[in-house]
Structure formats: C-alpha cells, structure tokens
Amino acid sequence: MADITPVLERADANLPESLERLFDLLRMKSISTDPAYKTECRKAAEWLARELQALGFDAAVRDTPGHPMVVGHHPGERPDAPHLLFYGHYDVQPVDPLELWEAPPFEPGFQEVEPGRKVITGRGTSDDKGQLMTFVEALRAYKETKGALPCRITILFEGEEESGSPSLKPFLEANADELKADYALICDTGMWDRETPAISAGLRGLVGEEIIVRAADRDLHSGLYGGAAANPIHILADILAGLHDETGRVTLEGFYEGVEETPAEVKATWENLESAAEKLLGEVGLSVPSGERGRSVLELTWARPTAEVNGIVGGYTGDGFKTVIAAQASAKVSFRLVGSQDPVKIRESFRAHVRAGIPADCSVEFHPHGASPAIHLAYDSALLNTAKAALSQEWPKPAVVIGMGGSIPIVGDFQSMLGMESLLVGFALADDRIHSPNEKYELASFHKGIRSWIRILDALAA
Amino acid sequence: MADITPVLERADANLPESLERLFDLLRMKSISTDPAYKTECRKAAEWLARELQALGFDAAVRDTPGHPMVVGHHPGERPDAPHLLFYGHYDVQPVDPLELWEAPPFEPGFQEVEPGRKVITGRGTSDDKGQLMTFVEALRAYKETKGALPCRITILFEGEEESGSPSLKPFLEANADELKADYALICDTGMWDRETPAISAGLRGLVGEEIIVRAADRDLHSGLYGGAAANPIHILADILAGLHDETGRVTLEGFYEGVEETPAEVKATWENLESAAEKLLGEVGLSVPSGERGRSVLELTWARPTAEVNGIVGGYTGDGFKTVIAAQASAKVSFRLVGSQDPVKIRESFRAHVRAGIPADCSVEFHPHGASPAIHLAYDSALLNTAKAALSQEWPKPAVVIGMGGSIPIVGDFQSMLGMESLLVGFALADDRIHSPNEKYELASFHKGIRSWIRILDALAA
C-alpha cells in the first residue's frame, strides 16, 4: 500500500474549492419528480459529466426516457486492482413546504450549529449531492497527487432516484457489459453517529399492497342502517388488527419462512449501540419498542420483518361529524422482508388473510405496489472487512456493520443484473432532514467523507 | 265522536286548491343553510302566518337570531279535548347538484310514475312542506265543515331544521308557557310502504366522539423505524376492532345497561315486515345483516344500540404508495343508543376502552360531538293507540308502530323542556329522495295524509 498521507493532505488543502464545486451543484434545482425542473436536471448531469472529464474520465451524459444518466470511465494505476463502479444520484426531493425553510433551499450556505461544528445547508446536501461529491473529490485529490487513480473506476450518476428510478433497470440491462465491475460502491447511506462510521449490510425487502374494502353501493345514514349494514371500516380494522398477535409477531401464514436469526456476534456489537438506538426512539418522542417482544430496537429495524399500515382512509374525515356508514374504506400496507422471505408468497398470504375477513356481501380490491426481496451483504466478506478497517482509521470510533431498515433497489439490481457485490458507505446522519425542509450535511461528513474514500480506494486497490 | 264523513269529503273537494296552496309554498326558495335565501325563508314564514290567520289562528312570524318561527293559536270546539301542538318545518335542503334535477327544483309539478299513481315533484315536497300542509289542509276542511276545530291547536313552524335548529331550544325555553300543550304532533317521518301507515315510536340516541391517536412527534420512514416505532394506525385498528366481539355485541363495559328487550308482540309485527327490510339491504347492494347475531334487520336498526366508526384517516392516503409510519391517526366513532342508556356513561366507557389500548409512550385526544339519549315513546300509550286506529281506517293496511334508527332532536326537546309526549306520524316514503335531486311526494301521501290528520284529530278530541 502506497503512502496516502500526501493524498489526504491534498484533500484537506482542496477543501475550500471542493466546497465551491459542491455549492455549484447544489444550486441546480434538479427535482426529478417535477417536470418543471427537467432542464435543471439536465444541467446538473452536464455539470457532472464536465467535472469527470476534467478528472480525465471518458464521461458523457446518456439519455434515457426520463432524466439522463452520467457515465464515466477512468483506467487505474495498478493493473491487478479491482474495477470499481461508483453510484450516486444527482436528483433531489421537492422542497415544499417552502415556508418552513430557514434559507432558500437552492442557496447553499453554512451554519455553525455549535462551536467548532459547521453544517452545509440546502436541498441535496445530504441526499445525495454532498455524498456523491465526497467520492469525486477523493478521486481529484488522488489524481492531483499521484497523477493517476489507484484502480479502474466507472461512475454512474442517476437522475431519477427520488422518482423511483424508472429508467435504471433498462439502462443497466442495455449497458451491462460497460457497467459491470468487480464491486459496486454506493454512497447514499449514513453513519451510526457523528463519531462512528457505518457499513450497511442488510437491506430489508419490501412488499406494498393497497386494499379497498367495499360494502354498500353508496354511503349510508348510520341512523337508518347502523347495526344492520356492513361497515367497511370495521371490516378493515378487524383485518388490520389481526395482522399481529399479542407478542407483536405477524400472524400471516408462512410469514417467517426464510427468516434467520442474526449471528450472536453481530447481535453483540449491536448491543453496544443499543442505548443510542433508544435515543433514536427518544428523538421522535417515543420510548417503548413496538413490534416483536424480546428483541432490541436495532434487531427489530435491521434484521426482523414487519407488517406496517402506511395509510388508512374511509368515511367522513373532514371537520365536525357526519353519521355516515361508508361505502368503502382502504388501507396501504407494506411488509419489510429479511433473509430469503419470498415477496410473492408474502403478498399471497396477506391477500388470503384479507379475503378471509371479508363478509359474503362485501368485496375487496387489491393493488400491488412493488415487491423486492431482502438483500443481505455477507457480514464477513473481504470487501466489507477492508472497508471497515479503512473507515476505522479515519474516524474517532471504529466502523460498525449495521442493518438497514429500508431497501435500496439498486443494490438488488447490481446483484441480480450485473452479478456485483455492493459496498454501502455513506456519511449522512439521522438528523440530516433528508426529504424535509432545512436539509443539511455535516461539514465533517463532507471533509472526512472525502478522506474516507481515499483510504477505502487505497485499501481496495492494494 | 262526531261524524267526520263531511270533513273528509270537504278535504277531497278541496284537493285541487290545497295543491295550489302547497305549490305556492313550494315555489319559495327557503333554503335555510344558504344566507342568500334569507328573504325567501322569511317570505315562506309570512305566507304560512297568513294562511293560519285565514283559518282563524292568532298567528305571527316570530323573529329569532336566525330564520323566523311561525307560531299560531286556535281554540277548540270541545273544552275537555286535549291541547295539541303541531310541529313542522318550512325550510328545505339546498338543491345542488342542480344539473341532476329533471325539472327546476322550485317549479313544482306532477309526474305520473305509473297509471293511476301521481307524485308531486320539487324541493320540499316531502321534506317538509308537503307534510306540514297535510295538517293545515286537514284543519281547513274541519273549519270549513264544522266552523271550528275539534280541539285547541298550537302550531309551531320552524325555519332552521335543515341547518341544525340553532334557535329552537332558546325559543322553546323563552316561550315554554305559550307552547306547552298536552301532546305534540310531528309530521316529518315516513310510512312503512305506500299502503302501510306508520307511527315512529323509538328514536335512537346518539353519542359522537372523535379520537386522535398520536405516536412519534413526526411522520417516520417505515424503513428506518418500522418494527420498533409505535404505529398509530395499528393502535387505532386494535382499539376499533375491539369494540365488537365475534357475535357482533359491543364490548364496552356497561354498554347494555338500560337496554331492554323489545316486547314479543311488537317484534312479531316487525317479523311481518322483515322481507321488506331485507329488500332495504338489497337496495344498497348488501344481503347479510351485520351487527348482533340472531336479531332481525328491523330490530337491529330500530331497537338495538350500535357502535359505528363513521370515519378514519391516518398516514398516506394519496395516489401511489409512501412507506410512512404516521405520527397520528384519527377516527370518528358514534354510538346509537336505545332505552335508558346514559350517553355520559357510554362516552366515559368508550374513552376508558380507548385509553386502555394506548401504549405508554403514545397519547390520545378526545373530541366530543354531541350526546343525546334515546327517546322511547311507549308502544302502548293511549295517544299512540288512538292514532294507530285512526290511521288504520284511512289506509289499505293497518298502521304499524316502527322504530327509527336516527334521532329527531325536537322530540327530546319537547319531552325534556316542555314535558310533552310526541306523536310522530308522517306520509313520506323511503324513495322520496329527500335531501337529493328530484325530491317527490306521493299525491296519495298528500291527499290521504290530510284525511289521516282529520281522523287523528277527531279521535284525539273525542
């Protein structure tokens, strides 16, 4: 392993200009969900392509039916080093409600939240422009110091992550040969806390399903019909209440098939983090872990499957009161999956549970909303252990391997379509307010994030 | 009892002019909920006062903070006959959506729906102008034939029934001595069917309560928090599902205190009507009676208490899907009461049930929406039996005593504020489309309604 001290020093020296470049990117209103910002999305893509070209990448804006991709290639210094694919996204979430922002969302700035601790403010700082730029700036420091990159790098920037990535799969399929590398690096996740870097290993899968229960063919007056006419809200409440037993376990038949216990040694590292996890609940005003009894908050959110009702509506919901028996009521229900739980079987089992609760004269309609299996990155791979050691050199506390409650579909796509293992490293914090007003990114996340990638690249190339 | 044949014949002879008068009243756009029709409401009140004066009533338009009342007094022929208070309302529902009307709502007309069966069409024909005019025209036929009324009559016409009667209680309070009579007659209800007149005896009470369950202090991402953070929709579903047991009985502690079984002989008359009741469910696309097992549709809606969820909302309810764990979820719940169920106790029992389902780190907020006890008019009072016999003389089939699923607040007010028992007789039909476009009133309801009141008045005065 070459001495990387000069590269790290160069990154430190570059910081003011790195921030200027980041701010240029942050000023572009690349909101992918709103067609009004189509031009701004392309502007961001073009800006990124130029940045990569300036670093010696063979980079281009690549059209899709939606917002464009940016793809760039750069050879590496060491021929036997692995070929790495880096993924980030340049699109951002909408900014409404605008009035809740303390500063305009697309005018990035700094804020000193406590002595010695600065944050970068603005839409996209944490999700994901600030994060993807840590990698770009790491490459720059490398290139400027060594005149080369330590290994062959392919970069893929997407512009539709916040709108469900409709063009991603077709693009991966059409360009599989070009994009296939030895490993994928994804920078769209978080640290454990400000001092502890994290590598995300388990990603829960997701099955979404909307159900609409219908009873009478019109809304009824509860005075005239109450007590004799089926009430779809009652039917729905019964069905939803029946999803869990008293111990918090999901009752669906076959639900726990493919769910494995987390290894004891992994659970042990999580126990060290547990008080912080309780703090996590505390930060949102809660204190009692819900869900399956006898399991820690971290295990519940990282390694256990769930059934959650995400939305429900039926009958009169305006001001005041209306004694109506609704004609229909609906709910959106999702399941987080772990291990090798089969999304198709879970959906079928849920539908069977729902159908069993529908009276003979009522009906139910199902609308599927996505199905993806859980993805588990091995807790003990060489890739993971190398990155863990590298991160632990940079930050005050050693890196931890954590689960992730949510899914990042691209990890599954990289695995299934390109046969690549992914490494998920990111420097966001839980309080970064991504998707919300006043999004921020710690200046330390940006600065030490750049340094972290230098260390990881160097270690992986060795 | 005097021979009333001449009075009935006079009513028959008067019919064309009775209809002309009704049409005059129907042309007035007395929509009480819309301030734009304030003048039209007063016009209707003034018209009614003049009509009563023409019949020899000491009648006047009486101002309230809202639309005026009309009050009139007339002495009776027989000094020992009871003093009767008649109530009806001259205001009508709004008419939108106007484009669904086959004829302009305030241009009354006739329609022959089948050979020999005519209906009167227009807003207010059934609710309640057509109904209140049956009583006025009955008085006219009496007066014109006998030169007097059979008993002392006080009339109260209200102009705010369709907007919640805000001025009614204060008016009753301020004029209690003037309005107090031996019995109240209310003409704002319906027949069982076109051949069977009905007297409404039981009116269910109502307790309304809105609950808001709060968990985390913000909406959470179900990927990050799912499985560990309390989900208020689950909590709410459990609470609501727990309101009924498997037999459809309400589980609240003390809920059935004060609920009495309907006398077997009354149930027997209802059994004869039951196939029609099943037709009632069939008309709204249902077939299986919900609620308490082993009880008929009529018993369930007329004589049994209920717990109904009238509205529920929580989390994401828009198009598509959002994997959110909501910060709060709410429901509007109402209870129909019978017998001597205590609204205050029912509310408290419900609140206790809800509180018992709220986890330690969550909270609940309650918003009361009205509380009125059930009103039961004895199944075997002299008033009721007299009216029943009189009605049975007029119509093809004998009169039935029915329950009413809903509440008519004025009946309670007459009872509690003026100590009066009410008799609820009306000639509306279930398909009169009250509150909807193309409201109608059967010509037979109007004509035989007038004749019915003549018979009832005569019988009560005897």
Side-chain angles (χ1 to χ4, degrees), chain A residues 341-402:
Chain A
Q341 279 181 300
D342 180 345
V344 175
K345 281 190 185 166
I346 299 286
R347 189 189 304 284
E348 276 317 309
S349 181
F350 174 60
R351 288 183 174 185
H353 166 80
V354 173
R355 283 194 198 98
I358 304 291
D361 57 348
C362 299
S363 65
V364 63
E365 196 179 299
F366 295 101
H367 294 275
H369 285 275
S372 56
I375 286 160
H376 192 76
L377 307 174
Y379 284 118
D380 55 359
S381 74
L383 175 67
L384 189 143
N385 283 327
T386 303
K388 199 172 158 186
L391 285 166
S392 300
Q393 287 178 328
E394 176 62 30
W395 295 85
K397 292 191 179 163
V400 289
V401 178
I402 63 175

Side-chain angles (χ1 to χ4, degrees), chain B residues 260-274 294-296 298-300 302-304 379 401:
Chain B
E260 275 170 30
E261 286 298 322
T262 306
E265 61 275 18
V266 175
K267 276 201 205 183
T269 68
W270 291 353
E271 267 156 35
N272 294 330
L273 304 173
E274 196 55 29
R295 297 185 185 270
S296 73
L298 293 185
E299 192 186 359
L300 286 169
W302 291 348
R304 300 298 299 175
Y379 285 117
V401 177

Side-chain angles (χ1 to χ4, degrees), chain A residues 265-279:
Chain A
E265 61 274 20
V266 176
K267 275 201 204 181
T269 68
W270 292 353
E271 267 156 37
N272 294 331
L273 304 173
E274 196 54 29
S275 72
E278 277 157 28
K279 195 170 155 282

Side-chain angles (χ1 to χ4, degrees), chain A residues 204 206 208-210 215-218 220-231 233-234 237-238 240-241 244 280-281 283-292 297 300-301 306-325 332-334 336 360-362 369 405-406, chain B residues 204 206 208-210 215-218 220-231 233-234 237-238 240-241 244 280-281 283-292 297 300-301 306-325 332-334 336 360-362 369 405-406:
Chain A
R204 293 195 290 190
L206 185 68
E209 184 89 353
E210 184 172 3
D217 59 14
R218 70 203 74 169
L220 304 175
H221 188 292
S222 83
L224 298 176
Y225 288 91
N231 184 327
I233 304 179
H234 298 188
D238 281 346
L240 299 179
H244 297 89
L280 205 76
L281 278 188
E283 271 170 8
V284 297
L286 296 173
S287 58
V288 187
S290 179
E292 291 176 275
V297 168
L300 287 169
T301 53
T306 68
E308 294 278 353
V309 186
N310 304 114
I312 189 167
V313 66
Y316 182 71
T317 60
D319 285 344
F321 215 91
K322 203 166 158 182
T323 50
V324 67
I325 298 177
K332 297 180 203 270
V333 181
S334 65
R336 297 277 170 186
D361 57 348
C362 299
H369 285 275
Chain B
R204 292 195 290 190
L206 185 68
E209 184 88 353
E210 184 172 4
D217 59 15
R218 69 202 76 169
L220 303 176
H221 188 292
S222 83
L224 298 176
Y225 289 91
N231 183 327
I233 303 178
H234 298 187
D238 281 347
L240 299 178
H244 297 89
L280 205 75
L281 278 189
E283 272 170 6
V284 296
L286 296 173
S287 59
V288 187
S290 179
E292 291 176 276
V297 169
L300 286 169
T301 53
T306 68
E308 294 278 354
V309 186
N310 304 115
I312 189 167
V313 67
Y316 182 71
T317 61
D319 285 343
F321 215 89
K322 205 166 158 182
T323 49
V324 68
I325 298 177
K332 297 181 203 271
V333 181
S334 65
R336 297 277 169 186
D361 57 348
C362 299
H369 285 276

Side-chain angles (χ1 to χ4, degrees), chain A residues 121-134:
Chain A
T121 59
R123 174 54 89 226
T125 48
S126 176
D127 184 19
D128 183 42
K129 289 172 175 174
Q131 302 242 61
L132 71 86
M133 286 302 285
T134 58

